[in-house]
Amino acid sequence: MTELNPEVARRAIVEHTRRLAVSAAAAGPAAAVPTTPEWTVADLVAHVGQTQHWVAEIVERRIIDPAQLPAGSAELPADPGEWPAWLAASARRVADALSDDALDALVFNAAGDARTGARFWMASVLNESVVHGFDGANAAGRTVDVEPDVAALLIDNHLAMLTSPTWKMRRPESAGAIRGTGQTLQWLATDTDDGTGAWLVERRPDGARWHPGTEPADVTVTGPAGALLLTLTRRLPLADGAPAGVTVDGDAALARHWLDSTAHVAD
């Protein structure tokens, strides 16, 4: 598993949120977001900033009871000219809340897995900032790069969420669809620092499992870590051929079925 580097994560949250603000200004508030078809750019900006403020409050208050989770949302400024400052403030607030001291404190973990609550929320907010930053860039006709170490961490987080107790409870149809009889899928990054960015998924009768590492698989998807992340999160399509720099070896239908079966409800 990719080691969570808190300082790298905090910087990336702030930087990718800044990039979203630039893209939002370029696209305009009413622009459609192709990778989140029911949202406009205004919806995207509101979602990211509100999520960051919401998570910051959870960590700041050290909430451990889900019944005590914040009920309200921060208000998006009506003037789009104020959005960059609003987003900068939300990113800075959540990055500060996710301090070194907070990372091992008792905080509610919505995934229900073995991570501490703050480490779960750090990965989740980083994912929101990076993936929705890509959405904003796409709406503006811009390109955005995802740093390999950040992408690798988020692939870990993505697979951890899909195989978590919470996913099985809240998305039983998805959890059921990705069960299997031993089929294996491998995601292999070509640009991680140590060259070992690899994730092996096994579809078992009792549920999907994953672990880092390489071994023979029914299908292997290879490419830059950022492209793999954006493929896994359904930002880059695999249905009509792999994205640039990505290759698929083996049962491509198995990879497409995994992607089709693992969409988040509100992404």
Side-chain angles (χ1 to χ4, degrees):
M1 179 177 288
T2 306
E3 184 68 26
L4 173 67
N5 183 315
E7 189 53 39
V8 169
R10 287 187 282 260
R11 286 199 305 267
I13 289 168
V14 171
E15 172 58 19
H16 283 268
T17 304
R18 184 196 67 78
R19 297 179 194 179
L20 171 60
V22 172
S23 295
V33 182
T35 43
T36 54
E38 297 185 3
W39 285 4
T40 64
V41 165
D43 296 326
L44 186 66
V45 170
H47 172 78
V48 171
Q50 288 168 349
T51 298
Q52 291 175 344
H53 279 298
W54 187 75
V55 170
E57 184 174 348
I58 293 170
V59 179
E60 288 165 353
R61 291 171 51 197
R62 302 292 195 268
I63 292 174
I64 58 175
D65 181 357
Q68 301 300 316
L69 291 173
S73 297
E75 185 175 353
L76 177 71
D79 181 0
E82 298 178 18
W83 291 357
W86 185 74
L87 283 171
S90 67
R92 188 71 264 164
R93 179 186 178 190
V94 76
D96 288 346
L98 292 164
S99 64
D100 289 344
D101 288 342
L103 290 181
D104 294 318
L106 287 177
V107 178
F108 172 64
N109 174 352
D113 58 23
R115 289 175 287 182
T116 67
R119 289 178 187 274
F120 160 77
W121 289 116
M122 175 172 274
S124 296
V125 171
L126 179 59
N127 185 77
E128 291 281 306
S129 306
V130 170
V131 175
H132 287 317
F134 174 85
D135 292 332
N138 186 259
R142 304 173 69 242
T143 59
V144 62
D145 293 325
V146 182
E147 301 83 352
D149 57 342
V150 170
L153 170 63
L154 293 181
I155 292 172
D156 277 2
N157 178 67
H158 179 76
L159 295 175
M161 287 298 300
L162 294 179
T163 56
S164 70
T166 296
W167 189 264
K168 184 177 181 179
M169 178 180 65
R170 301 194 62 173
R171 294 292 310 279
E173 73 290 351
S174 172
I178 60 177
R179 294 190 183 105
T181 55
Q183 298 91 341
T184 52
L185 305 89
Q186 185 166 227
W187 307 85
L188 183 61
T190 56
D191 60 348
T192 49
D193 286 342
D194 56 8
T196 59
W199 301 263
L200 195 287
V201 174
E202 183 179 3
R203 295 174 52 173
R204 301 177 181 177
D206 61 344
R209 300 287 185 271
W210 78 277
H211 63 80
T214 61
E215 58 187 76
D218 295 314
V219 60
T220 297
V221 184
T222 304
L228 295 183
L229 171 68
L230 295 170
T231 300
L232 281 162
T233 55
R234 298 161 55 90
R235 266 55 191 183
L236 296 178
L238 204 59
D240 300 316
V246 174
T247 60
V248 181
D249 296 310
D251 188 352
L254 185 62
R256 288 194 294 269
H257 178 271
W258 176 271
L259 298 175
D260 291 343
S261 302
T262 54
H264 287 256
V265 173
D267 64 357

